[in-house]
Amino acid sequence: MARTATATAFTGFPRAAMQFWYELAAEMDKPWFEANKARYQAEWVAPMTALLATVRPRLARAYKTVALGEPKVLRIHRDVRFSKDKTPYKTHLAAVIPLAGASMAEGGAAALYVHLGIDEEIVGVGTYRFGPAQLTAWRAAVAGKPGVELARTVGRLRAAGYQVGGHDDYKKVPRGLDAEHPRAEFLKMKGLTGSAPPIPPGLVHDAAFADWLVEHATALAPLVTWLARHVAA
């Protein structure tokens, strides 16, 4: 189960915390994890929970018309039911501040997504993959007047250096849609996310990491509020 964040002060992740992921990657079994679970909680879950609790009220200022949901630290266990890779644990910790009522498993939008570990570091917002109803709403909005606003917003964010786009998009505009539409780029998308720049080296170990997250998540907020108005299921 995902963990709900509770309020406490964020002072940074311990400087030795990354070692946990290297050891977990080498061991990758339940006895080792259970023996090191308290360490995982202290070095990763507790600081991430504090980070989310610090960021959320500050980020809410950019969401005056959209309520934010409760922050959540996502589970470390991988879902291996339908995967050939039976590795039981992730080698990262992920956390999210969703919009109120949004289900991340069903394509809900995130006002902030943070992913830290040895595989990669990601800070972003938006929806990785729309659900069926959301995809229908997305295409209608993109093709209509709201799409003009979206294109302007995306243009401004890209000009400011943010990466904005979809993931595993269609190579062509899906059948039944206008392949020559001026916003055909968006009609090919299966989701829409915005990414912050790479995290500066060492910043995750400092309380200032919260400031950095607020700065970039606030800049990307117009993308998420657009999704909330026009795509939310």
Side-chain angles (χ1 to χ4, degrees):
M1 297 293 290
R3 298 176 179 275
T4 301
T6 55
T8 187
F10 174 72
T11 57
F13 292 90
R15 292 196 172 272
M18 200 62 70
Q19 182 62 28
F20 171 83
W21 298 115
Y22 289 106
E23 293 178 26
L24 175 61
E27 299 292 340
M28 226 14 112
D29 63 30
K30 185 175 181 180
W32 185 91
F33 179 73
E34 290 300 321
N36 287 272
K37 190 172 182 179
R39 176 183 167 197
Y40 162 67
Q41 294 284 341
E43 295 183 353
W44 287 100
V45 175
M48 183 68 87
T49 299
L51 177 62
L52 297 178
T54 299
V55 168
R56 183 183 180 275
R58 296 174 60 189
L59 186 56
R61 300 167 192 167
Y63 285 87
K64 295 179 180 178
T65 61
V66 181
L68 298 181
E70 288 299 315
K72 292 181 179 179
V73 176
L74 306 183
R75 56 182 290 151
I76 192 174
H77 300 84
R78 294 182 62 250
D79 185 350
V80 300
R81 292 173 298 173
F82 308 107
S83 175
K84 292 182 181 180
D85 179 2
K86 299 302 180 181
T87 304
Y89 303 106
K90 302 170 186 174
T91 52
H92 67 266
L93 185 65
V96 63
I97 299 178
L99 299 186
S103 168
M104 305 313 297
E106 298 176 4
L112 178 65
Y113 173 79
V114 182
H115 176 126
L116 303 174
I118 60 173
D119 48 4
E120 57 184 339
E121 293 183 338
I122 302 171
V123 172
V125 306
T127 300
Y128 187 84
R129 182 69 62 88
F130 297 129
Q134 294 165 319
L135 186 59
T136 298
W138 161 257
R139 291 172 175 171
V142 163
K145 188 175 180 180
V148 176
E149 177 192 353
L150 175 66
R152 290 172 180 166
T153 298
V154 171
R156 285 194 297 269
L157 290 172
R158 287 175 174 170
Y162 293 101
Q163 293 185 7
V164 181
H167 304 272
D168 190 27
D169 298 333
Y170 294 105
K171 294 182 179 180
K172 298 181 179 179
V173 173
R175 184 176 299 178
L177 302 174
D178 181 6
E180 303 301 321
H181 195 284
R183 291 181 291 282
E185 172 195 2
F186 299 112
L187 293 175
K188 297 177 186 177
M189 294 179 183
K190 299 178 182 179
L192 180 70
T193 63
S195 300
I199 302 170
L203 186 60
V204 299
H205 306 302
D206 194 290
F209 185 39
D211 301 328
W212 187 89
L213 289 177
V214 171
E215 175 189 352
H216 292 293
T218 296
L220 289 162
L223 203 67
V224 185
T225 55
W226 187 94
L227 288 172
R229 292 197 309 271
H230 302 291
V231 180

